[in-house]
Amino acid sequence: MEITIDREPQITRVAIEGRFDAHTVPQYIAEVVEQIDGHRPNVVLDLAGVEFMDSSALAALVKTLKRCMEHGGDVILVGVADAARIILELTRLDRVFTRAESTEAARTRVLARSA
Amino acid sequence: MTTATSAEARMLAVCDLINRADAQLDAANVLQTASVQLARLTRSDLGVVAAEIDGELVVGSYPRPVNDELAAWLIELSRAGRPDRPLPGTSAKTCSAVIGSPAFGLVRASGPIDGTFSTLDEWLAGVVATQVETQLELVAMHRDRMQAAELFHDAVLAGELQQALLPTGGIDTPGVDLAARLRPARHVGGDMFDVFPAGDTAIAVIADVAGKGSPASLLTATVHAAAQRAVIAEGANPRAIVGVVDDELRPLLERTDRIVTLAVASIDPTHGVIRLASAGHSPVVIRSGRQAVLVEPGSPPLGAGSFERSESSIRIVPSDVFVMASDGTLDQSSATGEQFGVARFLDTIGGADATSAQSIVDAVFADLDAFAGRSGQDDDQALVVIRIEGQH
């Protein structure tokens, strides 16, 4: 799994590529979830490059959402690959996460909300 | 020559004794055995072997015991270097050797009964010291191995207990042929299922705690207990059962950042209906004829927030098959890194010999194993199969 992180004011853009599962979740938690704070409460998560996702990864996504909400922010999913989309739908977690068409649309939404 | 032969014989005696001590694998026994041999080999009136083990002083002595004060003095002496002072309260002649480097103990004989210690006696004391050192290392290794074995044994017992908590055999509900299997990826796992008879209806519960191994299994036991209480309180009312478990577990799941998928079904062959409430649990499958279709959950998993829980009804006729499994089946990967996936899961169930619920369970696990090949099992796998009996 490869995680690319871009920190902007207000927003952290995160792109995940490869297998997102029990083996790679600890890295994601350390690099993404534990970095969420009041200064950057919003995460735009690009799942376009995800090849596989298991229930541990789903739990990590829920944890991301909880941390963001605690700091008054949100998680917005963009570019959800089939491997991620299917498991999100199978577990009805698609109802829990906000989705946007593009990173730009996600940024606009976040900034509008926090303005 | 006589001396050499005698030394050889005495050496063999040391080895023999040490070998016998090997079976004891206890530091105190090792030191006691060595002190007996030391006193005999050197014909001394007091043989003492003392060592500090995990910060505690352990002493072996022969033929009479030495007090702790004396033993502490010995250790002190060994730390200071090669001891050359006599043991307090014993005759002037001593022979000694130090165990370990840096020294953590010593071997000392005083006497001897018949005159003076020879260089051979000094050498023998050194041999005893070396043997004791090796032996104590073995004791430590053995202790580590025992601890590892104990942990392994605990895990095996926990796994057996977890399996024992699951229902065995079938269920008495008329028209229900039930078979199930749980196969954790490690000794214990995050999956659970249970079935309860309720008059004409069977209630089946399956849950999957995200994650595997011991941490997941602890939460699994809690989920199982909550589900049992909810079934007792709510009866054959799947949506209410999910709601009760959801409310009960929410604070715990919030605190531990865990999510749990849960599906509860009431199967009523007499009235030809299955009611299903699923909180993010997948896969659930209904097979009619040779057509198997996925039944999607009505709401997200427990621990992902507050949601209205919903229920769906499925019409059933005899020979229909209802399957609830954990996602470890879908996520099983092959040697080439492909996933078993929903399509293969549906094909397996649709194509399986459906003479009994058990034959379907066997078919699913056989297909999973064939698919996994050498890559082995990745995640916990649970499967509950209910076949509706009677004439179609």
Side-chain angles (χ1 to χ4, degrees):
Chain A
M1 182 182 73
E2 198 154 325
I3 306 179
T4 313
I5 302 172
D6 288 309
R7 297 186 202 284
E8 300 176 7
Q10 295 279 328
I11 296 173
T12 303
R13 285 191 292 135
V14 179
I16 296 174
E17 284 175 79
R19 289 181 67 90
F20 190 14
D21 59 16
H23 302 287
T24 50
V25 157
Q27 184 198 345
Y28 171 83
I29 298 287
E31 292 181 13
V32 178
V33 180
E34 285 173 5
Q35 308 302 321
I36 295 166
D37 59 23
H39 301 293
R40 287 192 195 81
N42 297 292
V43 173
V44 175
L45 204 52
D46 186 340
L47 301 179
V50 169
E51 289 161 12
F52 172 69
M53 218 163 99
D54 71 357
S55 59
S56 298
L58 290 178
L61 289 189
V62 171
K63 190 169 178 165
T64 314
L65 182 61
K66 284 192 202 163
R67 289 295 159 278
C68 288
M69 287 169 77
E70 276 167 22
H71 294 288
D74 198 2
V75 173
I76 298 182
L77 305 183
V78 296
V80 182
D82 275 353
R85 183 185 55 79
I86 290 168
I87 188 168
L88 284 166
E89 287 175 3
L90 279 179
T91 53
R92 279 285 175 272
L93 277 168
D94 53 340
R95 284 172 46 182
V96 175
F97 292 96
T98 312
R99 281 183 66 171
E101 291 307 306
S102 63
T103 304
E104 204 40 56
R107 185 186 289 115
T108 310
R109 185 179 301 198
V110 165
L111 296 179
R113 219 174 61 106
S114 54
Chain B
M1 280 309 283
T2 319
T3 314
T5 311
S6 153
E8 203 176 301
R10 286 150 88 183
M11 187 61 222
L12 285 173
V14 173
C15 291
D16 181 48
L17 254 158
I18 295 295
N19 283 341
R20 262 186 279 154
D22 200 20
Q24 301 167 342
L25 289 167
D26 173 90
N29 281 340
V30 168
L31 298 186
Q32 189 56 38
T33 307
S35 70
V36 172
Q37 191 58 15
L38 176 74
R40 284 184 180 156
L41 285 170
T42 57
R43 307 159 318 282
S44 60
D45 58 8
L46 179 61
V48 181
V49 182
E52 236 176 358
I53 295 156
D54 297 334
E56 265 185 56
L57 193 62
V58 184
V59 184
S61 61
Y62 182 83
R64 60 177 193 272
V66 292
N67 61 28
D68 284 353
E69 196 189 346
L70 175 59
W73 180 84
L74 285 166
I75 289 287
E76 194 87 357
L77 203 60
S78 75
R79 284 212 192 98
R82 190 179 168 76
D84 52 4
R85 285 186 285 160
L87 289 175
T90 62
S91 49
K93 285 301 276 182
T94 61
C95 101
S96 55
V98 176
I99 302 167
S101 172
F104 68 95
L106 61 64
V107 165
R108 174 166 278 219
S110 65
I113 295 160
D114 58 357
T116 56
F117 287 119
S118 63
T119 20
L120 179 64
D121 293 322
E122 287 285 344
W123 180 76
L124 282 165
V127 168
V128 171
T130 312
Q131 293 283 359
V132 167
E133 191 179 351
T134 312
Q135 194 57 34
L136 290 179
E137 277 166 14
L138 279 174
V139 169
M141 250 167 63
H142 176 72
R143 192 186 48 196
D144 291 349
R145 216 177 290 144
M146 287 306 282
Q147 276 169 355
E150 207 171 302
L151 283 176
F152 178 78
H153 183 64
D154 280 357
V156 170
L157 281 183
E160 285 171 2
L161 181 64
Q162 199 173 34
Q163 290 281 351
L165 287 171
L166 302 175
T168 52
I171 189 165
D172 285 339
T173 313
V176 169
D177 169 22
L178 174 114
R181 185 175 172 193
L182 176 90
R183 186 167 69 174
R186 302 178 191 165
H187 292 293
V188 290
D191 291 357
M192 62 87 20
F193 63 81
D194 208 344
V195 287
F196 310 85
D200 286 345
T201 305
I203 303 167
V205 177
I206 188 165
D208 184 352
V209 176
K212 30 182 181 269
S214 307
S217 76
L218 287 173
L219 194 49
T220 306
T222 309
V223 174
H224 197 159
Q228 284 174 331
R229 280 194 296 276
V231 167
I232 291 164
E234 303 296 331
N237 196 348
R239 179 167 167 261
I241 293 168
V242 171
V244 168
V245 176
D246 188 14
D247 289 344
E248 185 174 333
L249 295 183
R250 190 173 303 132
L252 176 65
L253 297 179
E254 287 283 330
R255 274 205 306 281
T256 54
D257 275 328
R258 292 269 177 176
I259 58 171
V260 176
T261 66
L262 170 73
V264 179
S266 68
I267 301 106
D268 182 352
T270 313
H271 299 96
V273 67
I274 290 175
R275 286 161 64 198
L276 172 73
S278 169
H281 193 88
S282 204
V284 175
V285 172
I286 183 85
R287 167 179 148 158
S288 217
R290 285 205 167 257
Q291 189 73 35
V293 292
L294 197 67
V295 188
E296 294 190 347
S299 59
L302 312 183
S306 295
F307 299 96
E308 183 69 20
R309 301 300 172 183
S310 61
E311 189 177 289
S312 56
S313 288
I314 305 160
R315 300 300 307 174
I316 44 165
V317 293
S319 85
D320 281 357
V321 176
F322 180 66
V323 177
M324 301 201 290
S326 64
D327 62 4
T329 55
L330 304 183
D331 290 351
Q332 177 62 53
S333 56
S334 69
T336 55
E338 239 184 312
Q339 260 66 51
F340 194 71
V342 174
R344 266 188 208 91
F345 190 72
L346 293 177
D347 281 352
T348 293
I349 290 169
D353 161 25
T355 33
S356 70
Q358 188 60 50
S359 64
I360 294 166
V361 169
D362 294 343
V364 171
F365 277 96
D367 277 14
L368 282 172
D369 288 345
F371 182 78
R374 276 173 320 179
S375 83
Q377 189 186 344
D378 306 310
D379 195 2
D380 308 328
Q381 295 171 339
L383 183 69
V384 180
V385 173
I386 287 160
R387 189 179 153 277
I388 309 303
E389 292 178 317
Q391 293 300 310
H392 184 52

